[in-house]
Amino acid sequence: QVLDSYGKKKLGGGDMGAIYGAKPPRVNACKKPGEWQKYKIYFRAPKFKNGKKVANAKFDKVVLNGKVLHENVTMKGPTPAGVTGKEHAKGPIMFQGDHGPVAYRNIKISAYPPASTSSQPSSTQTTTAAEQESPTIVINIHADSSYSISKQPLTIKKLTAVIKNALKKNPDQTFSIRGNHKARYHSVAKVVDILKNSGTRNVSFSADDQPSAAAAKPAATPKSKSSKTITLFDGSNTDHWTHGGKKPVQWTVKDKVLTITPRKGGSIQTKKKFNDFKLHLEFKIHKKDKPAKGHQDMGNSGVYIQRRYEIQILNSYGRKLTKSDCGAIYRYKAPDKNASKPVDQWQTYDITFHAPRWKDGKKIKNARITVIHNGIKIHDNVEVTRKTGAGQKEAPTPGPILLQDHGNVVSFRNITIKPL
């Protein structure tokens, strides 16, 4: 099934990833609408002899966005709404097109080996190593802070080599960290650091023996008080915001939209301060409300992360991008692509931020920022070595989210943040 099931907690047989009407997915791997998603499906057709079925169809594996949804699922018959209603040894691939707009790209198919051979595509076929789906590698962390994979004891050096070799063979390799409840914090943090530095994002903790959320962070990371999504603006009030100190927000709230009242009160910032997080917001640049003095006076605003690093907001539709255009890490890096929409259309930012790491007052790791603009990734885990634009000086302390009043009318809505 293909369906928008993002964020849904309990999945059914009609949700994204389900074998429709037969079996719901084991996990929700669905991304937000507007983001590209990837299916990998390993399927065995039913077998017939003299017109009689001798073996059922089988999904060896169904993978969505790097997460396994189904394994070894036998199908005794067609799923509901199957076109022919009858099973056959061969059939076409069909995309359903009567339930709303859905886009597709990069569609590949290769012959799948018979049941007597490996359940993975062989190296002689057209499928590349990066397209193959390997079993999840489970990394065990024991009470004495030792490590193992498949009962094989490993030093931290050997574990690093195993991870790097696995990713070299398959960049989509998935990992699961299983920590004994007595496993030491720094041991878990070491493994997390190795995986993050190797470039993989396909990491999970085992559900049956999950370490604490704090253990999922490297040792130098300040602990976040909450991992729940916080609604910073839902259209009803500005309780989470201030102009600074106790000064109430003087921007306009109307029809569940927060709009800058230029030069009245100035920029606003969250009362709460944050370290690592995922931030979602929607913004709209309005048609010129006054004669523009130049391009930087056309819908200019900005999202300041920790009040130190600015993601620019500007009318940059159709423009050749610079370090000062919409989506730019202001005066630091231009966006990789121009994802801007015309004025008077709602746009989205999804920002993932990892704060710098500090030790004894000295910075040992730079900040990193990923930005998705209107569903298009424009910055991918970019290392930021300093504060940007008019941002405040870097420090080991958390900081607020600031929305800039630059003298232009810009609106915001649906602002949420999830500490990591």
Side-chain angles (χ1 to χ4, degrees), residues 16 143 171 221 304 386:
M16 179 77 158
T221 307
Y304 275 82
R386 56 172 171 79

Side-chain angles (χ1 to χ4, degrees), residues 24 52 89 141 182 201 239 268 282 316 322-323 363 398 410:
K52 184 178 180 181
I141 305 176
K182 293 182 180 179
R201 297 179 182 180
D239 290 351
I268 63 172
E282 299 173 24
S316 299
T322 69
K323 296 177 183 178
K363 186 169 70 168
V410 178

Side-chain angles (χ1 to χ4, degrees), residues 34 71 114 177 282 337 365:
E71 270 188 300
I177 300 174
E282 299 173 24
K337 298 177 182 178
K365 281 188 180 180

Side-chain angles (χ1 to χ4, degrees), residues 16-205:
M16 179 77 158
I19 300 173
Y20 185 71
K23 191 174 188 297
R26 62 169 68 165
V27 295
N28 191 339
C30 192
K31 293 184 179 181
K32 293 180 180 179
E35 295 186 32
W36 284 104
Q37 308 195 54
K38 181 165 64 176
Y39 264 138
K40 294 181 182 178
I41 302 171
Y42 301 100
F43 174 75
R44 298 180 190 276
K47 303 296 184 287
F48 291 83
K49 187 175 182 180
N50 299 325
K52 184 178 180 181
K53 187 169 72 169
V54 295
N56 288 317
K58 185 179 180 182
F59 287 98
D60 276 354
K61 188 176 288 188
V62 178
V63 182
L64 175 63
N65 301 324
K67 294 185 178 180
V68 178
L69 307 185
H70 303 284
E71 270 188 300
N72 300 320
V73 178
T74 299
M75 302 299 298
K76 295 181 179 180
T79 60
V83 175
T84 65
K86 294 182 179 180
E87 291 182 295
H88 299 278
K90 291 185 178 181
I93 305 299
M94 187 191 93
F95 295 116
Q96 186 180 29
D98 58 354
H99 280 65
V102 178
Y104 295 88
R105 68 180 184 184
N106 299 333
I107 306 169
K108 301 176 185 178
I109 192 168
S110 63
Y112 193 57
S116 59
T117 63
S118 168
S119 63
Q120 303 300 330
S122 68
S123 59
T124 60
Q125 294 172 327
T126 59
T127 307
T128 64
E131 292 170 326
Q132 297 178 28
E133 198 66 32
S134 303
T136 298
I137 294 176
V138 179
I139 302 168
N140 298 293
I141 305 176
H142 305 284
D144 61 356
S145 298
S146 61
Y147 309 95
S148 69
I149 294 177
S150 298
K151 298 183 180 180
Q152 176 68 40
L154 295 170
T155 63
I156 196 72
K157 186 175 181 179
K158 288 184 178 179
L159 177 60
T160 303
V162 169
I163 292 169
K164 289 183 177 179
N165 287 336
L167 289 170
K168 188 175 181 181
K169 291 178 182 178
N170 180 10
D172 289 333
Q173 176 66 58
T174 57
F175 298 87
S176 177
I177 300 174
R178 179 172 295 158
N180 182 284
H181 72 283
K182 293 182 180 179
R184 295 178 185 175
Y185 171 86
H186 71 271
S187 301
V188 179
K190 277 184 182 179
V191 177
V192 174
D193 270 344
I194 293 168
L195 290 165
K196 284 186 176 180
N197 292 335
S198 298
T200 183
R201 297 179 182 180
N202 300 325
V203 184
S204 64
F205 290 101

Side-chain angles (χ1 to χ4, degrees), residues 182-246:
K182 293 182 180 179
R184 295 178 185 175
Y185 171 86
H186 71 271
S187 301
V188 179
K190 277 184 182 179
V191 177
V192 174
D193 270 344
I194 293 168
L195 290 165
K196 284 186 176 180
N197 292 335
S198 298
T200 183
R201 297 179 182 180
N202 300 325
V203 184
S204 64
F205 290 101
S206 64
D208 57 338
D209 199 4
Q210 187 173 357
S212 66
K217 298 180 182 295
T221 307
K223 292 183 181 179
S224 177
K225 292 182 179 179
S226 173
S227 61
K228 293 183 179 179
T229 299
I230 301 168
T231 300
L232 296 175
F233 179 73
D234 63 1
S236 59
N237 59 62
T238 55
D239 290 351
H240 288 278
W241 301 85
T242 175
H243 284 294
K246 295 183 179 180

